[in-house]
Amino acid sequence: MDDLPIILNPNFKYFTKDPLTGGQKPFLWEVTYTKGPNDDAFIRHDVVDGRECLGLHIYQDGVNDTYSWASIHVKQTLRGYAASRFLRSKLGLWVYPTYSYAFDPFSKEPWNVFGIEINDGRNILWIIFSDGLEGSYQIRNHRIVLVNAPLNRWTYVQIDLLSLYRQAGWEESADLSFILILGATKEMRGNYAGYYCGVKVETGAEWS
């Protein structure tokens, strides 16, 4: 059972038709979009600096419409033993950010995002890849962890998820979603793109 992969199609080699949008999506991943009438959001199989990858692309028009965000979520849901193994593993992946993280200086609410979301239905963990300082902070049940990754180049990052859960004071959940995210709010008008590849879950030993 431990030999079964936790994340399926981790290199985004295989794409299939998305019945919801008529476009393409990575096989065995779910894709959801949030956007206003004149925003744009799409994913595609890209090649960036010689590396095949998943590209997330949005345009935020900056208009105060139904949604504050234009965003993309690319998700796999993990349950039971798979969720437990995932939290106790070392998560690694290649990321290629193209813009700096921005947030409201008073409330610290994010204005854009490129990173990973772990959502267990009660708590939300964002691991954001950007060229700024590293650190973390929490807004209600939403913890934000900033990881330095230079812009416009590939960086391999490794993440200790269980340690981040314990730092937040959260209990483990039997169900969670692993999500690749990219988005911007109406405060940050413009085009945005970010790239992911090579998701790897190392399960050699439990961390404590």
Side-chain angles (χ1 to χ4, degrees), residues 3-190:
D3 294 334
L4 296 175
I6 298 175
I7 301 298
L8 306 175
N9 189 20
N11 296 311
F12 310 107
K13 288 185 176 181
Y14 310 106
F15 279 69
T16 187
K17 185 174 181 179
D18 188 338
L20 296 178
T21 67
Q24 297 291 303
K25 72 179 187 72
F27 184 55
L28 299 172
W29 293 77
E30 299 175 48
V31 183
T32 57
Y33 300 92
T34 300
K35 59 189 182 74
N38 295 312
D39 300 330
D40 193 19
F42 63 93
I43 64 169
R44 68 186 180 202
H45 179 259
D46 279 316
V47 178
V48 177
D49 286 353
R51 189 184 295 273
E52 292 189 41
C53 59
L54 174 67
L56 279 60
H57 303 263
I58 66 163
Y59 170 70
Q60 166 59 263
D61 69 355
V63 174
N64 187 20
D65 49 33
T66 306
Y67 299 104
S68 294
W69 284 87
S71 64
I72 304 171
H73 291 63
V74 183
K75 178 177 74 172
Q76 286 195 25
T77 300
L78 307 174
R79 294 186 172 88
Y81 186 55
S84 178
R85 286 178 63 207
F86 182 71
L87 279 179
R88 283 173 164 71
S89 301
K90 187 181 294 183
L91 173 66
L93 74 163
W94 288 94
V95 298
Y96 193 105
T98 64
Y99 54 91
S100 300
Y101 174 59
F103 59 93
D104 186 302
F106 300 104
S107 68
K108 292 192 175 181
E109 293 283 355
W111 281 344
N112 63 21
V113 60
F114 168 71
I116 294 168
E117 176 177 321
I118 307 298
N119 190 323
D120 64 17
R122 296 176 309 219
N123 302 298
I124 299 171
L125 172 65
W126 274 10
I127 303 164
I128 295 175
F129 308 115
S130 180
D131 59 340
L133 296 174
E134 297 196 333
S136 62
Y137 65 94
Q138 197 154 323
I139 306 170
R140 300 173 297 278
N141 66 332
H142 187 179
R143 188 166 183 83
I144 295 168
V145 178
L146 305 176
V147 175
N148 182 267
L151 301 186
N152 302 309
R153 59 179 283 189
W154 286 108
T155 299
Y156 188 73
V157 295
Q158 289 185 309
I159 300 160
D160 176 355
L161 293 173
L162 187 57
S163 175
L164 295 180
Y165 251 66
R166 288 175 173 170
Q167 288 170 22
W170 297 340
E171 295 182 1
E172 296 178 48
S173 174
D175 300 287
L176 57 84
S177 295
F178 168 60
I179 307 168
L180 306 176
I181 56 173
L182 180 142
T185 64
K186 60 181 182 293
E187 286 82 7
M188 302 295 294
R189 181 179 182 273

